[in-house]
Amino acid sequence: MIISIESPADFHVHLRQGSISQLIVPHVRKGGFHLAYVMPNLKPPVTSMEQALKYKTDLERIDSNVDYLMTLYLSPELTPDEIRKAKNAGIVGVKSYPRGVTTNSEGGIESYETYYPIFEVMQEVGMVLNLHGEVPSDAETNVHVLNAEPRFLPHLLKIHAAFPALRIVLEHATTRAAVEAVKSCGPTVACTITAHHLALIVDDWAGQSWNFCKPVAKYPDDRQALRDVVKEGHPRFFLGSDSAPHPPEAKSVSRPAHACAAGVYTSPILLPLVAELLESFGALDNLEGFVSRNGRAFYQRPYTGKGSGKVTLRKLSERKQVESTYILGNDSLIPFWAGKEIGWELVEETTV
């Protein structure tokens, strides 16, 4: 079986910084993708137009054939004037991280109302608000990794009600409650789903650091809700891989005073992996919608210019093993499903 996909787009990816980016960035196209919506949680975070443009230049030096859509990190330093400057410079979105819930989120926000003047200008100029949909864990209020996403959803609904024309993306949904909340909203609210959350449940990361990510995978019924909305072909749900690479020593080693890093690395196998997963639950016919058409429509990124072109997948007669590690100089990374078998491969890629 051969499938051709028009201009696959990953609407949530971490490309890091420094020498390890030299290993990570080429994996966007290795995994079959032409567009990368780049997260801003670097050290220090990307909080200004100048930082975002410099970061984009750094990424283009590594691989200039990808369409990098840049974002800013929502923080007290961000002003309405900076939003206008960013929009004029081609920056697409602003990412909100609640304080301390994931990698490099120590500078995250504590009150959304504080940022209503920012949201007002974003709505006016047409920028996208990307929400990491969790609240911080708090033993006193019984908030923990398994219910942090449902506890966040009232914030999503409140922001949407206050700014109905603001395009909002609830990132990396993991629960049935999140799917239902997004469906209940108007056409300006969308949702990304990762490949690994279509595969994993809570049992898969309990005791297995390589499957540990934030937000964590939830219950079988939650995974089924994600699969069902993909199979439905709902136009406001699309792929955002949240591919989040960490050095092996940060993933495989934890100590009483230091937990393992949160993140799953899917970029180098992403399109074959998504094809494998969608085929497993009868949604292969919706592959192009999920990995390209839906997200491009919401973000208003047509199939033209940099990053356009078809990618071809082939179903293998004999399954093959996913590579166990990727190495460049002193940097190495271990991908999701390392050593497991996969039944699809990338055949060719044509970009213009």
Side-chain angles (χ1 to χ4, degrees):
M1 181 190 301
I2 298 289
I3 299 176
S4 290
I5 302 296
E6 186 70 57
S7 304
D10 183 356
F11 282 101
H12 183 135
V13 64
H14 297 270
L15 300 180
R16 305 304 192 210
Q17 63 201 120
S19 65
I20 201 167
S21 281
Q22 299 283 337
L23 176 57
I24 295 165
V25 173
H27 286 173
V28 173
R29 286 202 299 141
K30 180 179 177 64
F33 282 76
H34 291 163
L35 181 152
Y37 193 77
V38 183
M39 293 296 104
N41 57 328
L42 305 183
K43 289 187 175 181
V46 179
T47 57
S48 71
M49 176 197 70
E50 288 81 5
Q51 287 175 291
L53 294 181
K54 181 184 181 302
Y55 188 27
K56 183 176 184 179
T57 297
D58 292 342
L59 298 175
E60 289 176 336
R61 286 196 186 103
I62 301 171
D63 188 345
S64 61
N65 292 311
V66 174
D67 186 12
Y68 301 102
L69 304 188
M70 308 308 293
T71 61
L72 301 180
Y73 188 110
L74 187 63
S75 66
E77 293 79 20
L78 199 55
T79 65
D81 183 60
E82 193 67 24
I83 290 294
R84 296 183 191 279
K85 288 166 56 180
K87 173 63 176 181
N88 290 335
I91 295 165
V92 176
V94 175
K95 178 67 183 292
S96 163
Y97 292 93
R99 188 182 300 276
V101 299
T102 191
T103 304
N104 295 344
S105 64
E106 294 81 5
I109 70 171
E110 295 179 343
S111 169
Y112 291 94
E113 288 81 0
T114 301
Y115 294 95
Y116 275 18
I118 298 293
F119 299 163
E120 182 69 44
V121 177
M122 290 177 62
Q123 179 175 249
E124 175 191 332
V125 301
M127 288 186 75
V128 177
L129 176 62
N130 302 97
L131 297 175
H132 182 117
E134 294 184 288
V135 296
S137 293
D138 182 354
E140 291 188 1
T141 57
N142 195 37
V143 177
H144 46 77
V145 295
L146 291 174
N147 68 7
E149 183 174 279
R151 292 288 189 94
F152 174 85
L153 296 174
H155 293 293
L156 166 67
L157 299 177
K158 185 176 180 180
I159 296 170
H160 178 48
F163 303 98
L166 174 64
R167 281 181 294 153
I168 300 171
V169 178
L170 180 66
E171 300 290 342
H172 41 53
T174 62
T175 59
R176 180 174 294 277
V179 171
E180 292 174 350
V182 171
K183 280 186 167 184
S184 76
C185 293
T188 55
V189 177
C191 181
T192 58
I193 296 174
T194 76
H196 54 277
H197 286 127
L198 291 172
L200 302 174
I201 59 171
V202 60
D203 290 7
D204 296 310
W205 60 262
Q208 173 49 275
S209 63
W210 295 101
N211 293 336
F212 178 67
C213 57
K214 291 288 189 73
V216 299
K218 304 301 194 302
Y219 301 114
D221 180 68
D222 293 305
R223 182 180 64 181
Q224 189 60 48
L226 302 179
R227 291 178 170 186
D228 287 346
V229 79
V230 173
K231 189 172 182 179
E232 175 189 339
H234 195 294
R236 289 189 284 119
F237 291 78
F238 45 84
L239 178 70
S241 72
D242 193 21
S243 180
H246 293 278
E249 60 271 20
K251 288 295 293 178
S252 62
V253 177
S254 64
R255 300 179 298 277
H258 189 275
C260 73
V264 171
Y265 189 46
T266 54
S267 279
I269 61 165
L270 187 54
L271 192 56
L273 175 64
V274 175
E276 174 97 2
L277 292 169
L278 266 60
E279 183 184 33
S280 75
F281 57 86
L284 193 58
D285 287 348
N286 291 332
L287 180 62
E288 184 169 273
F290 182 61
V291 304
S292 183
R293 187 172 57 250
N294 295 353
R296 284 183 175 275
F298 187 82
Y299 276 96
Q300 301 168 6
R301 305 297 294 190
Y303 301 126
T304 58
K306 180 186 287 190
S308 62
K310 288 194 174 184
V311 171
T312 301
L313 284 166
R314 176 173 59 208
K315 185 174 173 63
L316 298 169
S317 56
E318 295 186 9
R319 298 168 66 80
K320 66 177 184 180
Q321 280 195 342
V322 173
E323 292 184 60
S324 61
T325 187
Y326 297 96
I327 300 172
L328 181 65
N330 294 322
D331 295 307
S332 64
L333 293 168
I334 295 175
F336 187 59
W337 272 19
K340 293 187 177 182
E341 292 186 342
I342 195 166
W344 291 83
E345 68 176 4
L346 198 63
V347 176
E348 63 185 61
E349 181 175 352
T350 304
T351 60
V352 298

